[in-house]
DNA sequence: GAATTCATGTAACTTGTTACATGATTTA
DNA sequence: TAAATCATGTAACAAGTTACATGAATTC
C-alpha cells in the first residue's frame, strides 16, 4: 500500500486535489514511483473511507468543482508510522520488457538489435536531458521548502547516475554487436 | 501480458514444469522481470486455455506428478510476433519504496537516514557479489546454448553497472549527510 | 481550428502479492 | 532434527492499466 502512503506524504505539505497530486507525481516521484490518475482518485476515496483524509469542495465556474483533500490527524500518524518502517529489502522492483527481449536476442536479427539498442540509447539520453528541467522545478519548489532540497537533489542525482550508466551500457553493447558482425562476416563469405 | 510471453520464450528452449520455470526465472530473468510461482501456474493455465502450450504428465514416486509444458506451434507464432514488437517506450517501470522514503527525508532523523543508506549500500554490494555466481550459471547454461551467451552477458553487465552506480551514489550520499551534520553541529551548540 | 490544460470520475480488466494447503525426500 | 528442495496448486486480495464519459477555457 505504498501509493496511498505517498499520497498521504504529499498531503502533509498542503491540501491538494487529485489532479494536483497527479501533476506533482509527474515531475518528481514519477522516476521511482509512477501513478495514474485513476489510481490516485481511487486511493483518495479509499483513504477517505478510512478517515485518513477529508475533503472540501471549492466551487468553480466553467470547470468542475475542485475536491480539495487534506490529511487528518489519523492520516499523519499512519504516514509517520509507515515512513519510519523501511522495507525488509531496499532494492527496487523493476519490470523491463526491453531487457526481456534482449534476453531472447539470439532470435532477433543484428539489424533489429542495433536499431532497438540505438532507440534505447536515444531515449535514455533524452531522459537525461530532461533531468535538467526537473532540477529547475526542484529549485523553485524548494524556495518554499528548503529542508527538502538535499533529499530531492540526491534522488535526481541517483536517477542521473543510473541513466548515465545505461548510456554507457548501450554504447558498449552496440559496439560489441558491431564487432561480432565484422568478425563473422569474413567467415560467412568463405 | 509480458510474463506469459516470457514463459513462452523459455519454453522454446525445451519443455518445462512450472517449478522448473520458477527456478530458471530466479537466477536469470529475475533482475529485470521477477515472477512468483502462483503467477507462473496461473499463466500456464491461461496459456493452455488459449492453446499456446500443452502438457503431459510425468508420474513420479514419493512426489507429485510432474506437469511438463511444451509450447505449441500457435504459441511459437505468438511469441515471435511479441518478440519483434518492441514497446513504444523502452525504459523500465520502477517502483522503489526506499526512494519514496528518502524523498520524505526531511521528516527522518540523520541517524535513521545514515542507518538506512548504509543498509542499502550493504545490500547493493551483496547483490553485486552475487552477480559473480550468476555469471557462472550463465557459463554452464551457455555450453548448450552458445548463441545466447552474448546477450545474457550484456544483461548481467548492465545489472552490474547499475548496481555499481547505486554503490557510488550511496557512498556519496552518506558523505553528504555526514558533511551536513558536521556543519550544523557547531551552529546548534552556539 | 486543433491541441493542451483543467477537473472530475467509473468500470472492466490484468497483473502481482500473500496466505493457505499438502507431503515425501534430501541435505546440513 | 531442522531446513531446504521438489512439486503441485487455490483463493482472496491489492495494485496497476486501459477505455470510457464529460466539457469549458486556454494556448498555439
Amino acid at each position: 500500500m505504498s501509493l496511498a502512503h505517498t499520497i498521504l506524504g504529499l498531503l502533509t505539505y498542503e491540501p491538494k486535489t487529485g489532479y494536483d497530486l497527479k501533476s506533482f507525481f509527474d515531475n518528481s516521484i514519477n522516476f521511482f514511483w509512477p501513478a495514474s490518475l485513476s489510481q490516485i482518485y481511487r486511493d483518495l476515496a479509499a483513504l477517505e473511507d478510512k478517515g485518513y483524509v477529508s475533503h472540501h469542495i471549492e466551487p468553480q465556474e466553467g470547470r468542475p468543482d475542485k475536491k480539495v483533500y487534506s490529511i487528518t490527524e489519523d492520516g499523519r500518524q499512519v504516514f509517520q508510522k509507515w515512513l519510519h518502517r523501511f522495507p525488509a529489502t531496499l532494492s527496487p522492483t523493476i519490470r523491463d520488457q526491453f531487457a526481456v527481449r534482449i534476453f531472447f536476442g539470439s532470435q532477433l536479427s543484428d539489424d533489429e538489435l542495433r536499431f532497438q539498442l540505438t532507440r534505447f540509447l536515444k531515449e535514455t539520453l533524452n531522459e537525461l536531458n530532461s533531468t535538467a528541467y526537473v532540477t529547475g522545478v526542484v529549485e523553485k519548489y524548494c524556495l518554499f521548502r528548503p529542508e527538502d532540497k538535499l533529499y530531492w537533489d540526491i534522488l535526481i542525482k541517483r536517477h542521473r547516475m543510473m541513466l548515465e550508466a545505461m548510456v554507457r551500457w548501450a554504447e558498449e553493447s552496440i559496439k560489441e554487436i558491431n564487432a561480432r558482425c565484422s568478425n563473422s562476416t569474413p567467415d560467412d563469405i568463405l
Side-chain angles (χ1 to χ4, degrees), chain A:
Chain A
M1 237 233 201
S2 235
L3 179 58
H5 290 106
T6 310
I7 290 172
L8 285 179
L10 294 179
L11 293 180
T12 63
Y13 299 156
E14 71 212 339
K16 287 178 196 291
T17 67
Y19 192 86
D20 291 339
L21 284 164
K22 171 61 174 162
S23 44
F24 195 101
F25 264 92
D26 280 352
N27 45 57
S28 61
I29 292 170
N30 204 244
F31 305 137
F32 43 90
W33 205 288
S36 67
L37 248 183
S38 57
Q39 243 185 313
I40 291 171
Y41 283 126
R42 186 218 261 153
D43 282 5
L44 280 171
L47 285 168
E48 190 158 38
D49 272 353
K50 288 180 190 155
Y52 301 154
V53 303
S54 63
H55 79 270
H56 70 269
I57 304 280
E58 265 180 35
Q60 296 195 124
E61 278 170 34
R63 323 213 129 173
D65 295 346
K66 279 190 181 183
K67 282 178 82 169
V68 183
Y69 288 87
S70 311
I71 189 167
T72 63
E73 197 39 49
D74 272 9
R76 272 176 208 279
Q77 275 174 31
V78 167
F79 173 68
Q80 282 301 319
K81 210 173 151 189
W82 173 86
L83 181 62
H84 292 280
R85 197 173 49 224
F86 276 67
T89 172
L90 299 179
S91 50
T93 307
I94 294 177
R95 302 217 188 230
D96 189 345
Q97 282 201 46
F98 173 67
V100 175
R101 277 169 244 246
I102 298 299
F103 184 84
F104 294 110
S106 65
Q107 300 184 50
L108 295 166
S109 72
D110 286 332
D111 277 348
E112 201 172 359
L113 273 162
R114 266 188 299 235
F115 175 75
Q116 297 293 352
L117 281 167
T118 308
R119 258 187 79 199
F120 177 79
L121 177 58
K122 280 183 200 160
E123 198 179 306
T124 310
L125 284 168
N126 278 342
E127 275 185 70
L128 204 47
N129 286 333
S130 74
T131 61
Y133 166 74
V134 178
T135 306
V137 172
V138 169
E139 215 70 40
K140 262 193 263 175
Y141 238 96
C142 289
L143 291 175
F144 307 101
R145 304 188 51 77
E147 67 274 26
D148 288 326
K149 188 157 170 18
L150 174 65
Y151 306 102
W152 298 8
D153 276 348
I154 67 173
L155 287 173
I156 293 174
K157 183 168 152 195
R158 180 168 166 280
H159 191 231
R160 202 155 39 221
M161 286 170 87
M162 208 173 62
L163 292 172
E164 282 164 356
M166 290 303 101
V167 166
R168 269 181 291 122
W169 171 77
E171 286 170 346
E172 286 172 28
S173 299
I174 291 167
K175 268 185 215 159
E176 251 182 89
I177 288 172
N178 283 338
R180 203 257 315 258
C181 293
S182 54
N183 281 345
S184 62
T185 312
D187 287 15
D188 292 344
I189 289 167
L190 292 175

